[in-house]
Amino acid sequence: MEPPEHLVTAPEPHAGRPAGIATPAVPPPDILRCAYMEIVVTDLARSREFYVDVLGLVVTREDEDTVYLRTFDEFIHHNLVLRQGPVAAVAAFSYRVRSPEDLDRAEAFYRELGCRVERRAEGFVAGVGDSVRVQDPLGFPCEFFHEVQHVERLAWRYELHGPGALVRLDHFNQVTPDVPRAVAHLQDLGFRVTEDIRDEQGTVYAAWMRRKPTVHDTAMTGGDGPRMHHIAFATHEKHNILSICDTLGALRRSDAIERGPGRHGVSNAFYLYLRDPDGHRVEIYTQDYYTGDPDNPVVSWDVHDNQRRDFWGNPVVPSWYTDASLVLDLDGRPQPVLGREEPKEMAVTIGADGFSYTRKGDTERGFKLGNTL
Ligand SMILES: [Fe+2]
């Protein structure tokens, strides 16, 4: 049987390496997984209400200006830190590494790149020990840690789970002007590409990269950056996502739903995108696929394939392409945003100049009504 026309699988991604970031001679840290994000919110009580009372994340600890939250299957202290501050932004994309020695590796790796590096034996936030924070070559504030306080894994505590229970942190998504440059840096860090979106001219619009054996720990989305596109939490099943939609409708808060629910083409996951009270984007995500074999095939999607972002051909709202959160430097100042020079996905796929297809070559009937918002 011929493979479906919308998928092109490639054994080797990204032949040739873009200029821009050197590969350090020292080995990278052994990263296990994305572990938590620290975000600054401008009204902590409002954000707490959204993440705890509406979405049902579990409070591990809180004080006057910080709330530490985790998902039901998690055994480490937190997956999300909300911190009160003047500007809504991301303070850290945090990864857990395999051993304490991997912190030495992280420190040496980024020092060789000439990046700003800070290490605190007591950690930067509660519940986490020795940690390295860096401003990476792409401008993102990243953290690495191993020591962490264990807490009760609430996986079996079904009496606490709501119908939309968030059970794991799944991934980050970052906006960066030059995707191949970002991919090269993450490959140096030990990440592998699982899927990407590109065109026949070779422009790469987005790439999904993993350490843990799922589709991704983070995705690099082409756009003005560095900015944070979203943080994604997983549910067990699709009906949990539908329940979150019903809850938001019942609360007359459907304006928190930005896009979806739907089925992604990329990742094959079921999805929903929400916006928190500061506009930080949260994805609810479930049921992608296993990617842990060393010869896991890379899936490349044509940017003009109308099923790449939504497998049912539903439109992507423009705000999803344009809006994202600022990121902070290690002093807490917002990083300047640099424009993407290459074509933008929204411009090449919707509007007067863009085009996309449901069936390649079918230019008369290829569109689904409403996909050109
Ligand atoms: Fe995502």
Side-chain angles (χ1 to χ4, degrees):
M1 211 171 107
E2 291 291 305
E5 68 175 15
H6 56 272
L7 298 179
V8 180
T9 61
E12 289 292 332
H14 308 296
R17 185 188 164 88
I21 303 174
T23 299
V26 298
D30 185 351
I31 296 169
L32 294 171
R33 58 166 168 144
C34 62
Y36 79 90
M37 188 182 283
E38 179 185 356
I39 64 175
V40 178
V41 298
T42 58
D43 183 336
L44 187 61
R46 260 179 92 201
S47 296
R48 187 192 190 284
E49 194 265 349
F50 178 77
Y51 286 102
V52 178
D53 299 340
V54 179
L55 292 185
L57 285 172
V58 178
V59 178
T60 299
R61 170 185 171 137
E62 59 188 322
D63 55 39
E64 210 165 82
D65 58 10
T66 319
V67 181
Y68 296 83
L69 301 170
R70 74 181 191 275
T71 51
F72 284 100
D73 285 7
E74 188 55 82
F75 70 92
I76 65 170
H77 191 263
H78 54 258
N79 300 124
L80 180 65
V81 178
L82 308 176
R83 184 159 56 77
Q84 173 79 42
V87 179
V90 174
F93 298 82
S94 186
Y95 293 95
R96 188 152 194 237
V97 297
R98 187 169 298 278
S99 71
E101 294 71 38
D102 283 303
L103 290 188
D104 302 333
R105 294 188 189 100
E107 197 176 355
F109 183 89
Y110 283 99
R111 287 205 191 284
E112 189 174 332
L113 286 170
C115 296
R116 185 165 161 202
V117 177
E118 281 194 29
R119 185 164 181 170
R120 284 192 199 167
E122 73 283 13
F124 292 81
V125 297
V128 176
D130 192 12
S131 306
V132 171
R133 280 196 179 185
V134 306
Q135 197 169 301
D136 82 3
L138 309 169
F140 292 99
C142 293
E143 179 183 88
F144 305 91
F145 72 91
H146 174 76
E147 286 174 23
V148 66
Q149 187 182 324
H150 287 203
V151 292
E152 183 188 1
R153 175 173 259 168
L154 299 169
W156 297 269
R157 296 288 304 275
Y158 284 108
E159 83 281 13
L160 303 176
H161 296 206
L166 304 181
V167 294
R168 284 185 296 281
L169 171 66
D170 192 87
H171 61 266
F172 308 140
N173 188 309
Q174 300 166 255
V175 187
T176 189
D178 185 337
V179 175
R181 184 170 178 266
V183 166
H185 173 59
L186 284 186
Q187 285 176 326
D188 288 345
L189 252 183
F191 285 75
R192 298 185 65 121
V193 176
T194 56
E195 302 203 21
D196 65 14
I197 294 175
R198 48 177 65 221
D199 64 20
E200 286 175 353
Q201 288 71 46
T203 300
V204 183
Y205 295 84
W208 284 256
M209 306 193 72
R210 66 100 182 164
R211 285 293 302 174
K212 66 177 159 55
T214 63
V215 170
H216 53 324
D217 286 281
T218 194
M220 288 292 175
T221 298
D224 304 342
R227 292 185 296 164
M228 185 276 283
H229 194 272
H230 60 266
I231 177 171
F233 296 100
T235 61
H236 281 307
E237 300 183 31
K238 295 185 278 292
H239 68 76
N240 305 115
I241 291 182
L242 301 181
S243 170
I244 293 169
C245 298
D246 285 337
T247 298
L248 288 164
L251 294 171
R252 281 277 155 193
R253 291 172 70 159
S254 57
D255 52 354
I257 299 176
E258 182 185 38
R259 186 186 152 201
R263 164 85 64 192
H264 280 310
V266 173
S267 82
N268 199 25
F270 203 79
Y271 72 86
L272 172 70
Y273 291 98
L274 307 175
R275 302 293 289 272
D276 87 356
D278 280 295
H280 295 305
R281 185 179 291 104
V282 178
E283 182 180 15
I284 317 297
Y285 178 96
T286 191
Q287 298 169 354
D288 61 354
Y289 59 91
Y290 168 78
T291 60
D293 283 20
D295 52 351
N296 178 68
V298 175
V299 180
S300 281
W301 294 78
D302 181 355
V303 73
H304 300 298
D305 185 337
N306 197 39
Q307 296 190 178
R308 73 200 183 286
R309 292 281 186 190
D310 183 283
F311 200 59
W312 307 331
N314 284 325
V316 178
V317 293
S319 64
W320 191 91
Y321 283 120
T322 57
D323 295 2
S325 299
L326 295 171
V327 302
L328 302 177
D329 67 17
L330 297 188
D331 295 316
R333 292 174 306 214
Q335 283 275 30
V337 174
L338 304 175
R340 174 171 166 89
E341 290 175 5
E342 291 186 288
K344 291 185 174 175
E345 186 172 335
M346 186 168 83
V348 302
T349 53
I350 63 173
D353 300 326
F355 68 93
S356 58
Y357 59 80
T358 301
R359 291 167 296 277
K360 199 168 189 175
D362 182 353
T363 52
E364 284 183 18
R365 298 182 60 228
F367 283 101
K368 186 172 166 179
L369 198 65
N371 65 357
T372 52
L373 278 177

